[in-house]
Amino acid sequence: MTKVLLVGGGAREHAMAMALARSPGEPKLVAALSNANPGILALCEDHMIVKETDVEAVVTYARDANVDLVLIGPEAPLEAGLSDALRDAGFPVAAPSKGSARIETDKAWMRELMARRALPGRVAYGTFSDPDEARQWINAHDARVAVKPVGLTGGKGVKVFRDHFQDTAGAMAYVDEVLSKGIGGSARVVVEERLEGEEFTLMAFTDGKRILEMPAVQDHKRLLPDDEGPNTGGMGAYSQSDGLLPFLTAGEYDAAVEILQAIVDALAAEGHPYQGPIYGQFMVTADGPKVIEVNARFGDPEAMNVLSLLVSDYLALCQGMAAGDLGTASADFEEAATVVKYVVPEGYGQGAPAVGVPIRIDDAAVRESRCTVFYAAVDAKEDHVVTTTSRALAVFAKGDTLSEANERCEAGLKAIQADRVHVRHDIGTKELIQRRIEHMRHLRSRTLETTKGLGP
Ligand code: AMP
Ligand code: GLY
């Protein structure tokens, strides 16, 4: 019987645990996590509450529990070197080494790698420690740039022209802040061309050589309806039954797969073979998909969308990634549309989350709605859970069509009883999706006119 250690306590890890529990090999599960996630604990035979970046404690736990395989959900333990320490201790690990996870943890290195290897999907960028040089670059791009700290900021450290600043002075105010405060843990800042288009996530399983791609997903990073408000870890996401998205063509999806494969090949060529799930955040532009960032893990919420549809043996895929050889495995997914919406404490994303708010879940109503509740940063109490400072739980639904999945998700959300929580109900609605389609149509026709010499 295979015994698996899962590191991490969010909804993404709850989805990983559920996918493992469906594996025909019926693996035993133990977990190392920083919060008592009731969804994960219900699937585990043992667990340890621990800081996931405490490498020594997690390795000791893996030894004591005598596990056969380790999965790591979040990025912080990767940066802390957990996968390397576990491998050194003899454990197979289905997560990238610290060196290959640099593709996420060091945005300057990611852009340099793409440039050095002339990879498809790259964008114009500069990295700066000198504010004057940054100003020149920003001026040369009419302030149409994105300003990014080099290191991890929990997905909340990027500021973009039009959304966050309108001119070079505005961009420079943030450049100065990043440099002076060392935001993202570095004395450098990345500035890149601002891309126009629609964002999507493409994730894949990889053994460092082949990639097995998953359905495309669209996440919603902004806190408020209609994509207003500050960036968050992600408020919800949807996917379509054919693996594409309403604004994404098969050709564009294939181009993104090629880019992800090229990144995996480049990492291997540079001595950092990447073993684990890899996540490409893309912008589909009028000029095809471009890389916004690469993450060294599953997305959260996106993991809930796609792992819930996985029909292939997840345990076998993880063993293949850990061994550096997926063999002839394939990754097959049920052809269904999915919608996931997060329930977050009021004030989340605005610096004042309502902590300790009780949330009651009517299990019978959840079952009736055919939804799944994935737990995130909540503490379990006797017959309910309470919010902490981060996203609380997510409701997942699937259906033949997006509108069916969305209706079911909304029905499932009615089974969640709480005051002082916030949900983006617009995710997965026809209106919002139609706007995405119109947006891409507009960008594509504008480019067509320009290339015909008719446009501005
Ligand atoms: P990141 O943490 O790099 O994913 O960036 C957070 C968000 O900032 C992304 O989801 C995009 O919405 C936006 N963003 C990042 N880079 C760019 C870019 N080059 N052009 C336009 N928007 C961007
Ligand atoms: N959903 C965004 C992320 O996981 O980074």
Side-chain angles (χ1 to χ4, degrees):
M1 172 85 64
T2 310
K3 196 169 182 186
V4 182
L5 167 61
L6 173 65
V7 179
R12 163 183 49 210
E13 290 77 23
H14 187 188
M16 293 163 78
M18 281 183 70
L20 272 181
R22 290 200 311 270
S23 284
E26 297 183 12
K28 285 192 177 160
L29 189 63
V30 299
L33 66 189
S34 56
N35 58 303
N37 180 315
I40 296 175
L41 297 197
L43 296 168
C44 280
E45 64 171 35
D46 188 52
H47 72 275
M48 175 174 64
I49 300 291
V50 63
K51 237 177 116 181
E52 290 126 6
T53 49
D54 186 341
V55 172
E56 216 178 288
V58 177
V59 174
T60 304
Y61 181 68
R63 261 201 210 102
D64 292 348
N66 197 15
V67 301
D68 306 298
L69 175 68
V70 186
L71 313 189
I72 303 173
E75 62 278 19
L78 302 175
E79 189 178 41
L82 179 61
S83 31
D84 309 70
L86 286 161
R87 283 198 185 98
D88 289 345
F91 296 103
V93 184
S97 64
K98 179 175 175 152
S100 42
R102 213 172 153 194
I103 198 77
E104 167 167 9
T105 59
D106 184 341
K107 286 182 200 278
W109 189 78
M110 182 273 277
R111 288 292 181 218
E112 282 153 13
L113 177 80
M114 292 196 74
R116 193 160 62 237
R117 300 249 156 204
L119 301 188
R122 64 191 186 280
V123 304
Y125 78 101
T127 61
F128 305 97
S129 45
D130 176 351
D132 289 333
E133 287 177 19
R135 186 191 314 276
Q136 277 178 25
W137 202 93
I138 293 169
N139 261 333
H141 288 81
D142 288 333
R144 292 167 185 275
V145 300
V147 179
K148 305 185 168 186
V150 169
L152 296 178
T153 55
K156 295 151 200 155
V158 174
K159 296 210 190 293
V160 185
F161 172 75
R162 206 169 282 148
D163 290 347
H164 304 103
F165 54 81
Q166 314 303 327
D167 52 23
T168 299
M172 280 310 295
Y174 190 51
V175 166
D176 288 335
E177 190 185 340
V178 171
L179 291 177
S180 63
K181 292 191 186 155
I183 299 175
S186 165
R188 284 196 302 165
V189 62
V190 177
V191 184
E192 54 192 45
E193 68 177 297
R194 173 189 183 262
L195 301 167
E196 265 196 279
E198 280 295 327
E199 281 182 69
F200 69 98
T201 300
L202 175 69
M203 301 183 288
F205 301 102
T206 180
D207 54 8
K209 302 182 282 275
R210 291 173 67 208
I211 72 167
L212 301 176
E213 64 272 17
M214 308 185 202
V217 185
Q218 188 171 45
D219 182 23
H220 297 68
K221 288 217 165 88
R222 308 292 287 271
L223 178 69
L224 302 174
D226 298 329
D227 297 320
E228 303 282 348
N231 273 336
T232 68
M235 292 298 295
Y238 66 85
S239 69
Q240 204 172 264
S241 61
D242 59 1
L244 304 176
L245 291 164
F247 53 83
L248 183 73
T249 67
E252 288 162 341
Y253 176 90
D254 291 345
V257 172
E258 270 175 39
I259 293 168
L260 215 46
Q261 178 72 63
I263 291 170
V264 166
D265 292 344
L267 283 165
E270 300 223 345
H272 301 292
Y274 185 109
Q275 293 164 248
I278 188 164
Y279 165 136
Q281 178 76 32
F282 290 94
M283 182 82 83
V284 54
T285 68
D287 195 21
K290 309 278 178 201
V291 173
I292 296 250
E293 67 171 355
V294 184
N295 293 325
R297 51 177 174 82
F298 284 112
D300 184 351
E302 295 96 321
M304 292 177 265
N305 297 83
V306 297
L307 285 179
S308 304
L309 300 181
L310 183 67
V311 291
S312 304
D313 182 347
Y314 181 49
L315 174 64
L317 287 168
C318 290
Q319 286 168 325
M321 290 191 287
D325 186 5
L326 280 164
T328 56
S330 63
D332 300 316
F333 296 86
E334 191 185 330
E335 287 181 18
T338 68
V339 175
V340 172
K341 300 188 200 193
Y342 253 116
V343 176
V344 305
E346 240 175 52
Y348 165 74
Q350 296 166 317
V355 175
V357 173
I359 305 181
R360 288 192 165 72
I361 298 157
D362 180 343
D363 291 322
V366 172
R367 270 195 301 279
E368 194 168 327
S369 69
R370 287 187 275 177
C371 289
T372 308
V373 172
F374 289 98
Y375 291 92
V378 287
D379 280 330
K381 301 285 168 190
E382 203 155 297
D383 64 343
H384 65 283
V385 296
V386 295
T387 59
T388 63
T389 55
S390 197
R391 295 175 291 182
L393 55 85
V395 174
F396 162 91
K398 65 182 175 186
D400 290 337
T401 61
L402 265 171
S403 50
E404 187 177 56
N406 186 46
E407 273 165 33
R408 285 193 184 147
C409 187
E410 284 297 322
L413 281 163
K414 293 209 168 68
I416 311 293
Q417 290 135 18
D419 298 325
R420 307 191 59 207
V421 295
H422 163 65
V423 178
R424 262 193 72 176
H425 290 287
D426 63 329
I427 293 168
T429 58
K430 276 206 178 79
E431 294 70 25
L432 192 59
I433 288 169
Q434 195 54 38
R435 286 224 302 278
R436 313 273 197 233
I437 296 170
E438 298 295 336
H439 181 211
M440 275 322 294
R441 191 175 290 152
H442 170 72
L443 290 178
R444 286 184 174 116
S445 64
R446 197 175 71 182
T447 304
L448 203 63
E449 282 179 13
T450 313
T451 50
K452 277 189 196 149
L454 303 171

